Amino acid sequence: MQAFVIIGGGLAGHKAALELRRLSDDAQITLLGEEPGLPYDRPPLTKDFLLGEIDEAGLTLSNAENYEQKKIDFRAGVRATRVDRGARIVATADGATLSYDKLLLATGSRVRKMPLEGERENLHYIRTLDDAKRIRSALGQGARVTVVGGGFIGLEVAAAARSLGCDVTVVEARDRLLSRGMPRLVSDYIEGVHRENGVDVMLASVPGSIVAEGPRQLRLNLPDGSLVSDVVIVGIGIVPNTELASEAGLEVENGIVVDAQCRTSDPDIFAAGEVTRHPSGPSGQLRRIESWRHAGNQAAIAAASMLGEDVAFDDPPYLWSDQYDLNIQSLGDPLAGTRQLLHRAAKSDGWTLVSVNDAMQPMGAVAINNGRDISMLRRVILKGGRLPESFVDECEAVRLSSEDAVG
Amino acid sequence: MTEENGQWHQVIDVNELDDGEMIGVEIGERRIAIYKVDGEFYATDNICTHAFAILSDGWLDGDVVECPLHGGCFNVCTGKALGDPVEVDLQTYELRVVDGILEVLCPKETAQEAGKTKCA
Ligand SMILES: Cc1cc2nc3c(=O)[nH]c(=O)nc-3n(C[C@H](O)[C@H](O)[C@H](O)COP(=O)(O)OP(=O)(O)OC[C@H]3O[C@@H](n4cnc5c(N)ncnc54)[C@H](O)[C@@H]3O)c2cc1C
Ligand code: FES
């Protein structure tokens, strides 16, 4: 009987544990999660949960309540502190040592913090359920909210705060929203939607220091002026939790480096989810991808691989974001390719921006309320095929912004 | 559901749907998706069990419908959720063809509330 230890009780760790059990009746499975409680779903934290449309119980990942029955030894609130590769043991903060035959690192990410001294009660980040609970109680009707960071997380928070009747300003350091990974056309469109919904968008505003303004408020200093608000929520990116791996001497480079079989530089140690940097796309270029679907699917591959199955993870990058009544989906690399085509939905106001190479192979796409195109394009990308002619005929060419061409 | 507690509703002309296509219909409050797979018709609820999305706006690939919002998949013949992020199966409905018109069997309570059938 083989002993499997999984570090990290997020989506990836949870999925890997379930998949190990599905594939093997007698695997001995231990899942360590630093956070309290059962593994839960993060995407709703900036969406339905902030809006009060689902409660805490509704966030628990499916089947997490069945760990006992599935003989998965889940330990909540237990942090792994060290991996000893020679002795093949994991040490935990509560003083236990666990032996492993195969180890999975699924430690995910943490938020990147603003360079700022001390904690401030009304300055928030959003990654965990506890973060989201605190933010939820701070977002009262009429509250003045400043969101620092115009990426997906910041914009979802802005949309939720607007829907809750807050007065919202988004401060973004770059000259457009969603500057990381999204084509300019998409950035401009999303900016328009936020403005229409009453969000004040401040671009090219590098946030400076945050200081207390009276007992209850915060002042955010900006290059030309400052903003006083009741609540500041920062979403300026995440950092992969790679410390355990690097301390154990595994190859780490902005993520734990793994191959398509999710193996690290130690053949008995695997990694999956947001903490990994793995081969992606036809070029096999190493990428770290922040996506729900990726974390789950890669973890399932890791589990099979740990059991010696011949599998490979080759999903094209994919993520979704829901803001107001917009559903945004990004597939592949929307900034790759030499041309962009705009495909409008026949029956709705949805549209898709597809980037193609000279051979008319789709490299990536962003769809706004047009998921049907993503389903089709995923299949084409997986096969390395070309866009169907009928689809191309329905498209408009768009002028490629110089910025996108560089990406 | 049986004929005792359900009621048949005419939905579409059988020629309206080609193989590999789907269409959404409404029966009263109920939204139903009709699919044609390998010459056979199938019907399920048209609302995804994950969040609110209309499945007939998604993608039909063989006997699998993919949700347009977050890519959840269901088998349209059985209603079975095929995993991530969907967990709950779709309700399926019985169908029959009478004089070239496809009919779907719906529970009676909806039938009473039901006004007329319309295509979405
Ligand atoms: C607010 C929010 C909204 C999101 N929305 C979307 C969305 O709409 N669409 C989308 O595609 N993606 C979204 N994502 C991204 C998606 O949720 C993540 O990609 C996914 O959760 C990654 O899963 P993971 O298991 O790899 O990492 P994580 O979810 O970070 O889980 C890792 C877990 O490991 C634990 N851990 C770390 N170190 C240790 C240790 N030493 N010992 C024990 N435990 C440890 C951590 O506490 C954590 O619980 C969102 C993320 C957030 C935060
Ligand atoms: S609403 Fe269908 S997968 Fe989310």
Side-chain angles (χ1 to χ4, degrees), chain B residues 14-63:
Chain B
V14 287
N15 296 319
E16 238 176 275
L17 211 55
D18 285 335
D19 230 12
E21 285 186 352
M22 58 183 164
I23 188 172
V25 299
E26 289 176 32
I27 297 172
E29 303 274 287
R30 201 173 282 262
R31 293 181 189 232
I32 293 178
I34 316 270
Y35 317 85
K36 192 171 181 188
V37 180
D38 291 336
E40 293 286 326
F41 289 99
Y42 299 92
T44 69
D45 273 337
N46 200 10
I47 309 291
C48 185
T49 58
H50 178 234
F52 187 86
I54 308 282
L55 293 171
S56 57
D57 291 341
W59 183 260
L60 183 63
D61 188 358
D63 57 3

Side-chain angles (χ1 to χ4, degrees), chain A residues 272-329:
Chain A
E274 225 174 52
V275 74
T276 63
R277 219 157 145 254
H278 57 270
S280 174
S283 66
Q285 177 202 358
L286 290 181
R287 291 184 63 179
R288 185 171 62 79
I289 288 166
E290 300 168 7
S291 143
W292 190 94
R293 185 176 174 128
H294 242 62
N297 288 356
Q298 193 192 15
I301 293 292
S305 187
M306 287 164 85
L307 287 164
E309 290 191 16
D310 182 16
V311 285
F313 180 68
D314 60 1
D315 284 12
Y318 167 82
L319 65 82
W320 80 79
S321 172
D322 296 314
Q323 301 169 27
Y324 310 106
D325 45 18
L326 286 187
N327 168 257
I328 308 164
Q329 296 183 50

Side-chain angles (χ1 to χ4, degrees), chain A residues 230-290:
Chain A
D230 303 305
V231 186
V232 176
I233 302 160
V234 181
I236 54 169
I238 54 179
V239 187
N241 292 320
T242 52
E243 288 75 6
L244 275 182
S246 48
E247 283 160 17
L250 299 174
E251 189 186 346
V252 168
E253 200 197 324
N254 176 26
I256 304 174
V257 177
V258 294
D259 60 15
Q261 285 68 43
C262 306
R263 255 180 312 232
T264 66
S265 49
D266 178 328
D268 291 325
I269 305 185
F270 296 72
E274 225 174 52
V275 74
T276 63
R277 219 157 145 254
H278 57 270
S280 174
S283 66
Q285 177 202 358
L286 290 181
R287 291 184 63 179
R288 185 171 62 79
I289 288 166
E290 300 168 7

Side-chain angles (χ1 to χ4, degrees), chain A residues 15 41 48 61-62 292-293 296-297 318 320 322 327 329 370-372 374-376 378-379, chain B residues 22 50-51 55-59 61 64 66-73 84-85 87 120:
Chain A
K15 282 281 162 189
D41 210 14
D48 302 9
L61 289 173
S62 68
W292 190 94
R293 185 176 174 128
N297 288 356
Y318 167 82
W320 80 79
D322 296 314
N327 168 257
Q329 296 183 50
N370 208 13
R372 174 179 275 188
I374 295 290
S375 300
M376 183 276 287
R378 179 182 287 120
R379 288 164 173 81
Chain B
M22 58 183 164
H50 178 234
L55 293 171
S56 57
D57 291 341
W59 183 260
D61 188 358
V64 173
E66 192 169 308
C67 174
L69 223 47
H70 314 119
C73 290
D84 284 357
E87 296 153 12

Side-chain angles (χ1 to χ4, degrees), chain A residues 67-88:
Chain A
Y67 283 149
E68 227 178 278
Q69 177 228 324
K70 291 185 181 288
K71 298 204 178 61
I72 293 169
D73 178 5
F74 171 61
R75 307 194 189 173
V78 175
R79 177 178 173 77
T81 49
R82 193 170 50 87
V83 174
D84 182 336
R85 288 165 55 192
R88 289 167 183 256

Side-chain angles (χ1 to χ4, degrees), chain A residues 60 65 126 145 181 195 204 215 218 220 279 304 306 358:
Chain A
T60 303
E65 66 286 355
I126 185 159
V145 177
R195 288 194 192 277
L218 293 173
L220 171 67
M306 287 164 85
D358 292 333

